Amino acid sequence: MIVVPERIPLSHELLFFIGRKLWAHRRGLLPLLLALAVLLTTALLHAMAWWSGLVLAPVAAAPLVWLVTVHRRYPTERATVRFWRVALALLSTTALAWAAMAAAFGPLTGPLGGWWLALVIAAHLVWFVARPLPASKETR
């Protein structure tokens, strides 16, 4: 009689490996996960209440109102601060306008799918540039 230890299948090992890598890099995947959540939410809104896009449309102007308010309350001479304020306001306005149009017409109708992908890429770029790097073991 030969006793052979039972091993998990290779496909399970591959899934565990991928799961560990995703878990290790979960902070970097946050923009993608939020974008997928918004995509599913707008798909549900479109399916259940297409008119919700009309309700969301005025909300798209909120980041521009924020930009004007911040510029008046906290004026700055630094060009980098102004650049980041304007860039974040434009990205947020574009994302909210996409959400309103996706809720009204469907998230992947016409050019909205490409627009969503461009927003995900832009959010990832902003996320990786703006977030602080985690402290290494040497600096702790």
Side-chain angles (χ1 to χ4, degrees), residues 20-36 119-134:
R20 282 191 300 271
K21 288 299 178 188
L22 287 175
W23 183 255
H25 300 289
R26 64 188 178 274
R27 288 185 70 198
L29 294 174
L30 185 64
L32 178 64
L33 295 175
L34 288 175
L36 288 172
L119 283 170
V120 171
I121 292 169
H124 267 287
L125 288 174
V126 169
W127 181 256
F128 286 124
V129 169
R131 76 183 179 127
L133 294 174

Side-chain angles (χ1 to χ4, degrees), residues 67 81-94 126:
L67 179 65
V81 173
R82 282 182 282 155
F83 169 78
W84 277 107
R85 286 177 181 175
V86 170
L88 290 176
L90 289 176
L91 182 64
S92 300
T93 301
T94 305
V126 169

